[in-house]
Amino acid sequence: MLFNRLATAALIVATLAACGRNRVEVSETGLKYQLHDDNEESRKAKVGDIMTIQLLLKNAKDSVLRDTHKEPAPLKLMLQVPPFKGSFEEGLAMLSKGDSATFYVSADSLFGKAMQQMPPGVVKGSDITFNVKVLEVQNEEEYRKAETAAAGKQKGVDEKIIADYIAKNGLTGKTQKTEQGVYYVITQPGTGAVPNRGDLVKVDYTGKLLDGKTFDSSVGKQPIELPIGVGQVIPGWDDAILKLHKGEKATLIIPSTMAYGAQGSPPVIPANAVLLFDVSLLDVRKNPQQPQQPQQPQP
């Protein structure tokens, strides 16, 4: 009997505690929120921290606007100063690693000033629901160290994937490798100029996954023209195109760490995907410097 009474009392206490955690509260600035998991002893996120979260975003009709659980990787964001009272950023600052919560943010405050009209599915005067689970909270130094470590690990994985691909497709002895780790096979030699960093290049290309599925192509459309080696394309392109001669055709095998990394490029490029590009370097020319016009004195 005593045991049963104690067990019943413990169950009531646990139930009341759970109800307290999940009730809707309102902050001093008007943010409505529910805390589901709240580790009060852990360090809360602060402005400048990088947060890794799973996010389920819904409108007033409970329709899903975004669900990062269905994306290749969780959302990473730097916590910003709250842009308005009752903002989502204010809610994130309540949380630490392992916490989960629901925030109800005014659609008028969220979209009203920045947009002429509400986005599709969002009604003026309604709340947007943010369901959040915090996976990680890091300061900038911690984040950079973790990213470097993850990239180093993935680099080894990519090397194995590329080695297997080269062997399976009879490319052993035919590939060359850049200092940054991009492999390439010359399929049609060229004798023209090799681009220098900053030169304008014109390239026809077809991008594929390792299974042969094409995700993008300029063939039959418009070749891409851009300055090379200055960060306007993925690092693997900047690295490999600088090795080619005008008129040359090649297949680039680009590690994920030199492409779209752990984030991928949804929905066509998965996370940590090694990519193939069949490229033709059509033209190389100097990038003309635009002379700056002297400023006229104001009257």
Side-chain angles (χ1 to χ4, degrees):
M1 290 292 291
L2 177 61
F3 175 78
N4 288 339
R5 287 198 296 271
L6 290 174
T8 301
L11 178 61
I12 293 172
V13 170
T15 301
L16 290 173
C19 291
R21 281 199 305 271
N22 289 288
R23 71 174 182 268
V24 177
E25 301 186 56
V26 182
S27 74
E28 293 181 356
T29 58
L31 176 65
K32 291 180 288 186
Y33 65 94
Q34 293 172 286
L35 296 179
H36 309 305
D37 295 295
D38 182 20
N39 187 348
E40 296 181 356
E41 296 181 359
S42 294
R43 177 175 72 87
K44 302 299 181 184
K46 61 180 183 295
V47 171
D49 282 346
I50 291 86
M51 303 183 72
T52 304
I53 65 174
Q54 293 286 15
L55 175 66
L56 179 61
L57 196 63
K58 294 183 177 182
N59 64 13
K61 294 183 178 181
D62 212 34
S63 298
V64 175
L65 303 176
R66 183 177 183 182
D67 185 357
T68 60
H69 298 84
K70 297 179 180 180
E71 297 176 7
L75 177 64
K76 293 179 184 289
L77 53 83
M78 178 179 286
L79 183 56
Q80 305 291 329
V81 174
F84 56 86
K85 292 183 178 180
S87 70
F88 176 52
E89 289 80 1
E90 178 188 325
L92 288 178
M94 300 178 182
L95 305 179
S96 57
K97 180 179 178 179
D99 289 352
S100 62
T102 301
F103 303 106
Y104 304 91
V105 179
S106 164
D108 293 357
S109 297
L110 189 60
F111 299 113
K113 294 181 179 180
M115 304 180 68
Q116 295 294 326
Q117 59 184 11
M118 293 293 173
V122 178
V123 178
K124 187 175 178 61
S126 67
D127 287 337
I128 304 297
T129 302
F130 292 76
N131 291 308
V132 182
K133 174 69 176 181
V134 181
L135 305 181
E136 188 62 86
V137 177
Q138 300 163 302
N139 60 36
E140 188 171 356
E141 182 180 357
E142 292 168 338
Y143 175 76
R144 292 187 183 279
K145 286 183 178 179
E147 288 292 291
T148 299
K153 183 178 179 180
Q154 185 61 41
K155 186 176 180 179
V157 174
D158 289 348
E159 281 285 342
K160 177 66 166 57
I161 291 172
I162 292 173
D164 290 346
Y165 179 85
I166 289 173
K168 182 179 178 180
N169 289 273
L171 298 176
T172 302
K174 300 178 182 179
T175 60
Q176 301 179 62
K177 184 181 180 182
T178 71
E179 295 83 356
Q180 299 298 318
V182 176
Y183 290 78
Y184 62 102
V185 182
I186 303 299
T187 55
Q188 177 181 298
T191 58
V194 175
N196 293 310
R197 197 173 300 275
D199 283 352
L200 289 174
V201 297
K202 183 182 288 186
V203 182
D204 237 354
Y205 70 92
T206 297
K208 304 175 185 177
L209 304 179
L210 283 190
D211 62 7
K213 181 179 180 181
T214 297
F215 59 81
D216 192 17
S217 181
S218 68
V219 177
K221 303 175 186 176
Q222 182 73 29
I224 187 172
E225 186 171 19
L226 75 162
I228 199 68
V230 294
Q232 290 201 12
V233 285
I234 58 174
W237 259 55
D238 270 345
D239 189 34
I241 298 297
L242 289 171
K243 302 294 184 182
L244 304 182
H245 293 80
K246 178 181 176 180
E248 211 148 50
K249 294 183 179 181
T251 296
L252 316 181
I253 309 173
I254 302 181
S256 67
T257 53
M258 296 287 285
Y260 293 94
Q263 296 298 317
S265 184
V268 293
I269 299 177
N272 298 317
V274 175
L275 302 181
L276 301 175
F277 283 93
D278 294 322
V279 300
S280 299
L281 182 53
L282 304 176
D283 194 19
V284 178
R285 60 190 179 90
K286 293 299 178 183
N287 189 1
Q289 297 293 320
Q290 296 295 330
Q292 292 185 357
Q293 297 294 328
Q295 292 186 357
Q296 299 296 323
Q298 297 295 321

